[in-house]
């Protein structure tokens, strides 16, 4: 039971010495240093990858003079990152764009050194072209003006963001043969009569970590040869239904409009096809068009072509490769980039042609000569072994 006559408070004096010399004024000299583990070579921006969104800021504070009372470090950071955690310091108070950490509380002694690490994570919904960090060390003690220059550290690192996006493809057949006795039809009445079908399925995978406005998919394939003979004929393009798509393919999509009511009479010029004709870097006759795609987590793109058989029946060649290349680019999102190894894929179709006349005559001649030489060697070996010598009959 409380007694109302007893005092309700008690004062206790604790002896305390600032230990600041005879003048009792503490003059400290704080030296602050900081280093972020972001790649900064002064030329190329740091690439933020989807699975590497965190980074560390190593901080060191040294007091080179008298006690620094209530020393603290304030870190102000840009809005494209946020505070994640701190290591080796449990006296940090974060807010939306800054964090204040007490250091060496209640004072940082002369010659003392304190190090700790703050971890940040990139804000995927607020992309900026630089990571900015402004650090300042202060205390309740005094510091001379000439030593204040090393109390601040400013860090600014340019960054780009790598989209977690890549493209894969599947194709049923990649090898096609032209028979030695194949002929060119007088009239092509349907797409099926053009030649073998090439059906390619592209899958665009997107983890949607960083926002993307639009994707562009560029397709290149060998369309005509140097003699203006058609090589590959585009017959169809379809996308998964949940993607808004616009394709600029009018020039190459079934330009002859072949159908039962609209026949086509093929006419191919005889020519010699070299291997570079199927590589679009070397062939001016390549088709080149693009489609603009609204991004989602998974996009399916189907492309159908036909090997233009009359051109290959008429041409002189043994085997040739036709490269079909699909390349992804990001539009209207300048801070988001694609991994160079994942943004392009190439399919090589191999077309080979059987030779006329069976075995070449030079092969037959060499085979006969080799056979005669081998027979001569066998006969010579038998003769040397005495196989052809007959014993003389004993005289009666």
């Amino acid at each position: 039971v409380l007694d109302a006559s007893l005092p309700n408070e008690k004062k206790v004096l604790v002896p305390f010495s600032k230990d600041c010399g005879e003048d009792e004024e503490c003059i400290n000299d704080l030296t602050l240093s900081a280093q972020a583990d972001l790649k900064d070579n002064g030329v190329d921006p740091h690439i933020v990858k989807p699975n590497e969104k965190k980074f560390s800021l190593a901080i060191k504070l040294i007091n080179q003079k008298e006690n620094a009372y209530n020393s603290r470090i304030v870190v102000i950071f840009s809005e494209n990152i946020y505070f994640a955690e701190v290591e080796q310091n449990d006296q940090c108070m974060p807010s939306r764009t800054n964090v204040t950490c007490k250091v060496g509380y209640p004072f940082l002694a002369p010659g003392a050194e304190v190090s700790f690490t703050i971890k940040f994570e990139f804000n995927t919904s607020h992309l900026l072209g630089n990571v900015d960090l402004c650090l300042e060390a202060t205390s309740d003690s005094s510091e001379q003006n000439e030593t204040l220059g090393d109390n601040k550290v400013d860090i600014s690192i340019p960054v780009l963001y790598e989209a977690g996006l890549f493209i894969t493809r599947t194709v049923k057949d990649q090898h096609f043969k032209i028979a030695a006795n194949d002929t060119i039809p007088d009239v092509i009445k349907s797409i099926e009569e053009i030649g073998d079908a090439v059906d390619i399925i592209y899958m665009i995978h997107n983890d949607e970590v960083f926002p993307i406005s639009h994707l562009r998919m560029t397709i290149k394939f060998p369309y005509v040869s140097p003699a203006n003979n058609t090589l590959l004929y585009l017959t169809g393009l379809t996308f998964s239904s949940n993607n808004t798509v616009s394709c600029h393919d009018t020039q190459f999509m079934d330009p002859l409009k072949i159908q039962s009511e609209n026949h086509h009479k093929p006419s191919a010029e005889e020519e010699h096809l070299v291997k570079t004709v199927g590589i679009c870097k070397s062939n001016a006759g390549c088709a080149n068009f693009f489609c603009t795609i609204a991004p989602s987590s998974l996009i399916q793109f189907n492309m159908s072509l036909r090997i233009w058989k009359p051109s290959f029946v008429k041409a002189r060649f043994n085997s040739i490769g036709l490269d079909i290349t699909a390349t992804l680019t990001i539009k209207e999102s300048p801070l988001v980039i694609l991994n160079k190894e994942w943004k392009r894929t190439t399919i090589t179709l191999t077309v080979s042609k059987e030779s006329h006349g069976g075995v070449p005559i030079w092969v037959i001649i060499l085979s006969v000569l080799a056979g005669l030489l081998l027979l001569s060697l066998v006969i010579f070996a038998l003769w040397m072994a005495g196989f052809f010598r007959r014993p003389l009959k004993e005289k009666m």
Side-chain angles (χ1 to χ4, degrees):
V1 179
L2 295 178
D3 189 343
S5 63
L6 294 176
N8 56 10
E9 63 179 25
K10 185 177 182 180
K11 294 183 178 180
V12 178
L13 297 179
V14 178
F16 181 78
S17 175
K18 294 178 66 175
D19 192 20
C20 293
E22 295 180 357
D23 59 1
E24 295 187 356
E25 181 184 2
C26 287
I27 299 177
N28 59 241
D29 180 9
L30 300 178
T31 300
L32 176 66
S33 61
Q35 180 69 45
D37 64 350
L38 299 176
K39 296 177 183 178
D40 180 22
N41 58 11
V43 179
D44 300 318
H46 174 81
I47 306 301
V48 183
K49 298 180 180 293
N51 58 344
E52 298 175 1
K53 298 193 297 293
K54 286 187 177 182
F55 71 94
S56 299
L57 178 68
I59 302 172
K60 180 190 291 185
L61 183 64
I62 303 174
N63 181 21
Q64 302 187 61
K65 287 189 177 180
E66 297 174 325
N67 290 340
Y69 285 89
N70 292 328
S71 53
R72 55 201 174 272
I73 297 174
V74 178
V75 182
I76 301 173
F77 47 88
S78 51
E79 293 187 353
N80 58 338
I81 59 176
Y82 57 83
F83 173 84
E85 58 180 315
V86 64
E87 296 177 352
Q88 299 172 318
N89 190 329
D90 57 359
Q91 294 184 323
C92 290
M93 296 294 294
S95 64
R96 190 174 67 88
T97 58
N98 66 78
V99 56
T100 301
C101 296
K102 295 180 180 180
V103 183
Y105 190 80
F107 62 86
L108 193 64
E113 177 181 317
V114 176
S115 299
F116 62 98
T117 300
I118 299 178
K119 291 191 175 182
F120 295 91
E121 186 166 349
F122 282 92
N123 185 352
T124 59
S125 61
H126 196 122
L127 306 186
L128 296 175
N130 287 280
V131 169
D132 294 319
L133 296 158
C134 300
L135 297 86
E136 184 176 9
T138 59
S139 74
D140 291 346
S141 300
S142 301
E143 184 166 352
Q144 296 174 343
N145 290 334
E146 55 265 26
T147 64
L148 288 173
D150 54 9
N151 287 28
K152 291 184 178 181
V153 175
D154 291 327
I155 298 173
S156 183
I157 300 175
V159 292
L160 292 174
Y161 306 86
E162 183 181 282
L165 190 149
F166 62 95
I167 182 172
T168 59
R169 82 292 189 280
T170 56
V171 59
K172 184 177 180 181
D173 295 314
Q174 290 183 246
H175 301 275
F176 305 91
K177 280 189 176 182
I178 305 297
N181 58 351
D182 270 343
T183 57
I184 300 174
D186 295 330
V187 175
I188 296 177
K189 300 178 181 179
S190 66
I191 287 177
E192 288 74 17
E193 295 179 5
I194 293 174
D196 293 317
V198 181
D199 295 315
I200 304 172
I201 300 175
Y202 294 101
M203 303 293 289
I204 303 171
H205 307 262
N206 181 16
D207 61 11
E208 301 181 301
V209 173
F210 302 117
I212 298 173
S213 177
H214 288 90
L215 290 172
R216 173 179 285 186
M217 186 170 184
T218 303
I219 302 293
K220 288 184 180 180
F221 65 87
Y223 180 48
V224 295
S225 69
N228 207 35
N229 292 326
T230 303
L231 298 174
L232 290 174
Y233 190 80
L234 183 64
T235 59
L237 289 175
T238 58
F239 281 81
S240 45
S241 58
N242 59 335
N243 298 106
T244 305
V245 179
S246 61
C247 288
H248 302 265
D249 59 348
T250 307
Q251 179 183 355
F252 305 106
M253 174 59 72
D254 189 17
L256 300 176
K257 308 300 178 188
I258 298 174
Q259 52 186 326
S260 56
E261 296 83 10
N262 185 26
H263 300 171
H264 173 72
K265 187 175 182 179
S267 58
E269 295 291 332
E270 185 176 350
E271 65 177 323
H272 175 66
L273 293 179
V274 295
K275 291 184 177 181
T276 55
V277 76
I279 304 173
C280 282
K281 290 181 180 178
S282 310
N283 184 4
C286 275
N288 187 343
F289 66 91
F290 67 88
C291 298
T292 302
I293 312 166
S296 64
S297 59
L298 183 64
I299 303 165
Q300 180 172 325
F301 169 42
N302 303 321
M303 182 168 69
S304 300
L305 305 102
R306 291 275 171 170
I307 302 289
W308 192 269
K309 197 171 184 178
S311 298
F312 293 97
V313 170
K314 195 76 172 178
R316 302 187 307 277
F317 72 100
N318 292 322
S319 180
I320 193 169
L322 305 174
D323 290 350
I324 303 172
T325 302
T327 306
L328 284 177
T329 52
I330 296 174
K331 308 302 294 182
E332 301 176 15
S333 300
L335 295 177
V336 184
I337 62 171
L338 290 171
N339 187 301
K340 292 181 180 180
E341 297 180 359
W342 296 346
K343 71 176 185 179
R344 181 179 292 109
T345 181
T346 299
I347 295 173
T348 300
L349 307 178
T350 303
V351 182
S352 56
K353 190 174 185 180
E354 295 178 355
S355 58
H356 288 276
V359 182
I361 187 65
W362 63 270
V363 175
I364 297 175
I365 294 173
L366 285 179
S367 300
V368 171
L369 291 176
L372 292 175
L373 178 61
L374 180 60
L375 179 61
S376 301
L377 291 173
V378 171
I379 293 174
F380 179 74
L382 292 174
W383 181 77
M384 291 295 294
F387 181 78
F388 297 107
R389 297 175 185 173
R390 294 182 181 181
L392 294 174
K393 294 181 178 180
E394 294 181 0
K395 294 181 178 180
M396 297 295 298

